[in-house]
Amino acid sequence: MLAAARAAMNDAIERWANPSSPHAEGRAARAALEDARARVAAALGWTGELIFTSGATEAIRIGLTRTKADAVLVGATEHDAVHRAAPKAFFLPVQGDGTVADHALTGRLGALGAERPLVAIQSANNESGVLQPLDSLIPIVRGKGGLIFADCAQSAGKLPLPEADLISISAHKLGGPPGIGALLVRDLGDLAPEGGQEKGYRGGTENVPGALAFAAALEASRAWLKRAEDLRAHLDGAIEAAGGQVVARRSARIPTIASYRMPGMAASAQLIQFDMAGIAVSAGSACSSGTLKPSHVLAAMGWDERDVAEVIRVSFGPDTTRSDVYRFVDQWKRLAGEAKARAA
Ligand code: PLP
């Protein structure tokens, strides 16, 4: 969490009151909440509606379950939160490089024959970092009279937002606190209302400290992203030179995430070894309660199950330094060398 976000949160907690209360303290909290809403929208360059939620998962759930669309189509590599919110949705395949092809989208929309389909395609993938070509996909959806939902949990605040109708965002992915996020909505008329807060589109006491910290995080400098890009490029090269495999190496990727395969060593064993060396990495999607389940993302990209089991995921944040990366590479080479010796 960025220092500016921590400071904003602590300050707001000192002044906490329920923004739905009519007393002076409540009115002040309401004003602070609306200030946070305007600042988050401005920082993102968003001119439509903004509903604060508890994070991207809730934003996705509201967007996909309250939609008035007559059919829902979701990308095969979407986050579990998307697949769970729309269990009956039609699937959109990805190519080996992790992206949705124009012709696949056109074909599925044609086969669906819906009048107003909702298509969920994420901006950046949370395992591979692959960026979907939304600039070319969105006009295809619009051409069929459809709406586009872009899960931007990984890219918001780092890259410009796509021209989508609905967008999910999570503050803890951009230096803000956990427990706050947003659903951006171009036209509230596309969603059925539910709940007593947030213009009737969400229920529950508003998280004013979280919203103010979210705004502060978005307003903080993004200079570290350039460093992350350099460090990721260095790491990609070092891993390849040491006999590893970079997931989606040739695809456009967000610089904050990468996945690497170490031939001959299970991801679970790598995780333990890296953890013992004081290095925190993940395997699979790692989002669900400490479980390591096989990656549906790599499977959708056509990866063999045995290879998938050897892939770990690495994230770069504002505090990641060059020496962190060197240390990681040293450990990676040591483990890969051990795996190779065992196989020989
Ligand atoms: N979508 C993507 C792409 C994510 O990476 C995540 C979190 O890992 C989510 C959705 C869920 O976000 P949250 O933790 O804010 O519910």
Side-chain angles (χ1 to χ4, degrees), residues 55-57 60 79 81 122 124 126 151 153-154 170 172-173 287:
T57 301
I60 290 165
H79 191 272
Q122 63 194 178
N126 48 296
D151 175 17
Q154 291 289 344
S170 179
H172 71 87
K173 303 278 185 217
C287 283

Side-chain angles (χ1 to χ4, degrees), residues 248-339:
R249 173 69 155 134
R250 262 159 271 290
S251 308
R253 290 176 290 148
I254 195 157
T256 42
I257 289 181
S259 281
Y260 301 109
R261 172 175 164 248
M262 184 186 290
M265 187 174 284
S268 50
Q270 294 179 53
L271 251 57
I272 293 168
Q273 294 292 330
F274 279 116
D275 190 38
M276 282 180 355
I279 297 172
V281 293
S282 308
S285 57
C287 283
S288 31
S289 56
T291 58
L292 292 183
K293 51 191 173 84
S295 161
H296 71 276
V297 172
L298 295 177
M301 289 164 68
W303 277 58
D304 181 89
E305 209 175 300
R306 271 174 314 183
D307 291 348
V308 169
E310 296 174 343
V311 174
I312 61 163
R313 184 175 58 141
V314 177
S315 310
F316 301 78
D319 296 332
T320 310
T321 63
R322 188 159 285 273
S323 66
D324 290 336
V325 173
Y326 289 159
R327 208 158 61 81
F328 175 81
V329 171
D330 285 346
Q331 291 298 328
W332 201 94
K333 283 183 183 161
R334 179 179 67 80
L335 296 177
E338 285 172 15

Side-chain angles (χ1 to χ4, degrees), residues 53-60 77-82 122-127 151-155 168-173 178-181 257 285-287 313:
T53 62
S54 61
T57 301
E58 190 190 8
I60 290 165
T77 56
E78 295 297 303
H79 191 272
D80 265 351
V82 169
Q122 63 194 178
S123 164
N125 186 267
N126 48 296
E127 295 179 39
D151 175 17
C152 294
Q154 291 289 344
S155 66
S168 47
I169 301 183
S170 179
H172 71 87
K173 303 278 185 217
I180 184 86
I257 289 181
S285 57
C287 283
R313 184 175 58 141

Side-chain angles (χ1 to χ4, degrees), residues 40 64 87 95 147 175 268-269 273 282 325 342:
V40 168
L64 294 184
Q95 309 174 99
L147 296 168
S268 50
Q273 294 292 330
S282 308
V325 173
R342 261 199 315 274

